[in-house]
Amino acid sequence: MIDLKKKLAREAASKAMQVRALYKRSLIDPICPFDLALDMKIELRFQSLPSLEGMYTPTPRSAIVIGSERPAPRQAYTCAHEIGHHAFGHGTKIDELQDVGIITKPFDPEEFLAQTFAGFLLMPKMAIDRALKDRGFTTQSAKATDYYQLACFFGVGYTSFIRHLTYSLRILPQIIADPLLKEPLSDIRSRFESPDITKSLLVVDLRWKEKTVDLEVGDLLLAPRGTTNEGTSLLIGKETNNGIYFEALKQGNDRLSAGAWSCFARIRPKKFEGRAIYRHFPEVADE
Amino acid sequence: MNSDEKKQAIASRLALARKNAGLSQGQVAQMIGLHRPSVSEIEAGRRNVLGEELGKLAEIYGVDIDWLACSDTNKTDEKRDKIQLAARELSKLKKEDLNKVIDMLSALKEEDKS
């Protein structure tokens, strides 16, 4: 079984790199799996289906359906997983992921392939190495807040990120990972001086150059000090020692900038249901 | 189905397809160059929808134009059967979710082969 898993993991990593190359994604930057699915001409939809995490079907056309009730990082991971089913040419699949990074029993090689593919697609080793180096972090010395910031950068959950580094890439020793995994997210958010630790918080730094900031209405954003926004979808909030807070007010697109640094922010409705291509469409004022 | 019933059936599908696409009437109106009340009238079955408008709306909603025009009975049934056959795993879903997802998938526009 261990040999089979190793073989499948190599296959998944290789396929993830092929997909990135084919759709012109570099190996050193984070990607948005929703945008990738659209580039792959997959019909991507979000729908409120409480018993569903995600689904892929090749018929009547290639389509992915993501449960809209789940948190955004989890939706991203699920989307990458479903792209895996598509890339490997699997048939119709319904996925009820129990916990990202852990495959439910009994062992299913196609599910293992898709799940491992998702990890390597979203977090290739080269991109992780680069992200750590750019910020002066090492896996030995990085703190929970550093890992949280990196998880935001890769668009995945904190736990998924730690697990990927520990179990898939094997660059984070379990002895360090275990206490990190026990840290409650609310405690980490409070260390960033979040004005509301119950709200989803995205931490953005000056290394976000090619990556768009994706938020849902109601989410908080911590941006570098001195950041201002152009647009009306984000509301500027308090400035702290860690940076300046924004709250996502309504769907649409804003631009963030601070000195020579800038990036785009896309805001979608909370628990958006519909075609992925319309998720950031600004609402139209009634006549 | 008489012409009034068909008009109502088309109107219902237009409203359903728009909601499934995640768009408001105002957004759709802007996309096809109509005023919002016109979209509202179309979806209430009080205004005829032109063939050209139907084509544009099918494209925007990502659905099969025959499904939108309610002239698809056999085609949609075939699609539903295919999805159900291919998706034995769909039994994992709650019945309500299952019907919702099959309805949505069987209305989809087929893959563009070009």
Side-chain angles (χ1 to χ4, degrees):
Chain A
M1 180 66 95
I2 291 168
D3 283 347
L4 173 64
K5 281 190 173 176
K6 274 187 184 168
K7 179 181 164 287
L8 292 173
R10 275 197 298 270
E11 207 180 319
S14 164
K15 182 67 87 178
M17 299 308 104
Q18 282 171 28
V19 168
R20 272 195 173 237
L22 190 60
Y23 292 94
K24 302 192 172 21
R25 264 63 174 181
S26 86
L27 293 177
I28 53 171
D29 293 309
I31 61 159
C32 169
F34 306 139
D35 292 342
L36 176 65
L38 295 174
D39 285 355
M40 294 172 86
K41 309 277 183 230
I42 297 171
E43 176 69 21
L44 175 61
R45 299 216 175 202
F46 298 92
Q47 199 162 15
S48 172
L49 299 161
S51 60
L52 172 107
E53 185 89 40
M55 156 177 194
Y56 167 72
T57 183
T59 180
R61 58 161 305 155
S62 302
I64 289 174
V65 185
I66 306 284
S68 61
E69 306 286 331
R70 308 289 189 229
R74 188 144 170 171
Q75 289 182 356
Y77 214 107
T78 301
C79 183
H81 177 107
E82 305 305 336
I83 291 174
H85 285 310
H86 176 77
F88 281 108
H90 296 161
T92 298
K93 292 281 178 189
I94 298 287
D95 290 302
E96 301 171 292
L97 305 185
Q98 299 299 308
D99 198 358
V100 170
I102 289 180
I103 302 298
T104 51
K105 289 173 183 175
F107 178 75
D108 177 338
E110 289 194 351
E111 287 306 318
F112 181 83
L113 262 181
Q115 187 67 353
T116 314
F117 170 93
F120 285 111
L121 181 73
L122 296 173
M123 299 168 279
K125 182 159 185 308
M126 279 171 74
I128 299 279
D129 288 344
R130 165 83 174 262
L132 286 164
K133 191 176 166 217
D134 279 352
R135 291 165 178 82
F137 298 159
T138 66
T139 51
Q140 302 285 329
S141 64
K143 303 185 293 288
T145 45
D146 300 331
Y147 283 111
Y148 185 95
Q149 193 176 328
L150 288 168
C152 292
F153 186 59
F154 285 94
V156 298
Y158 170 80
T159 304
S160 307
F161 187 72
I162 303 271
R163 283 184 174 155
H164 182 68
L165 265 57
T166 308
Y167 302 112
S168 297
L169 298 182
R170 296 177 188 276
I171 57 174
L172 178 62
Q174 196 163 351
I175 196 162
I176 299 175
D178 283 345
L180 288 169
L181 289 169
K182 284 182 188 147
E183 296 255 13
L185 286 183
S186 53
D187 285 6
I188 299 174
R189 288 176 189 147
S190 70
R191 271 174 248 157
F192 284 111
E193 301 174 85
S194 172
D196 186 346
I197 55 167
T198 63
K199 285 192 170 179
S200 172
L201 168 67
L202 194 76
V203 181
V204 169
D205 60 27
L206 296 171
R207 301 289 172 191
W208 287 53
K209 283 179 183 156
E210 302 294 325
K211 184 164 162 56
T212 306
V213 175
D214 286 322
L215 296 160
E216 287 187 326
V217 170
D219 288 353
L220 296 175
L221 164 70
L222 176 61
R225 294 184 77 172
T227 299
T228 54
N229 70 307
E230 287 169 42
T232 56
S233 292
L234 293 170
L235 177 70
I236 199 159
K238 73 166 184 176
E239 179 130 25
T240 69
N241 290 330
N242 290 298
I244 186 158
Y245 274 90
F246 291 85
E247 182 169 359
L249 271 190
K250 59 181 181 185
Q251 66 197 91
N253 300 278
D254 276 19
R255 183 171 173 270
L256 296 162
S257 60
W261 171 82
S262 70
C263 69
F264 286 96
R266 305 185 294 188
I267 297 94
R268 63 174 166 152
K270 197 93 184 160
K271 297 180 181 174
F272 171 76
E273 287 187 74
R275 301 184 79 190
I277 47 171
Y278 301 134
R279 67 196 190 279
H280 309 117
F281 253 40
E283 187 47 272
V284 175
D286 211 352
E287 294 163 21
Chain B
M1 204 188 295
N2 66 36
S3 66
D4 277 350
E5 285 170 345
K6 185 151 185 178
K7 200 167 157 184
Q8 280 305 324
I10 293 172
S12 299
R13 287 200 170 175
L14 282 165
L16 176 67
R18 177 182 55 74
K19 283 177 196 154
N20 282 345
L23 293 168
S24 67
Q25 289 182 338
Q27 288 170 322
V28 173
Q30 192 181 57
M31 289 165 90
I32 60 170
L34 290 176
H35 294 294
R36 196 199 59 77
S38 303
V39 176
S40 175
E41 291 288 297
I42 289 171
E43 290 186 3
R46 289 193 293 268
R47 175 195 182 284
N48 282 326
V49 58
L50 306 174
E52 192 191 344
E53 288 169 345
L54 203 62
K56 275 188 197 168
L57 291 168
E59 195 63 41
I60 289 168
Y61 301 151
V63 296
D64 192 324
I65 190 165
D66 290 337
W67 176 83
L68 208 52
C70 298
S71 45
D72 62 311
T73 322
N74 294 337
K75 199 169 159 188
T76 302
D77 286 349
E78 273 172 37
K79 279 192 203 167
R80 286 183 72 92
D81 290 348
K82 265 191 207 167
I83 296 165
Q84 272 171 325
L85 190 68
R88 283 181 289 268
E89 290 194 46
L90 287 171
S91 58
K92 281 183 188 173
L93 287 178
K94 284 184 189 156
K95 200 174 174 192
E96 189 188 318
D97 291 349
L98 176 69
N99 290 337
K100 213 165 152 184
V101 85
I102 291 182
D103 282 348
M104 192 268 284
L105 290 173
S106 52
L108 289 184
K109 183 185 165 204
E110 285 182 44
E111 203 106 33
D112 191 356
K113 306 286 181 201
S114 60

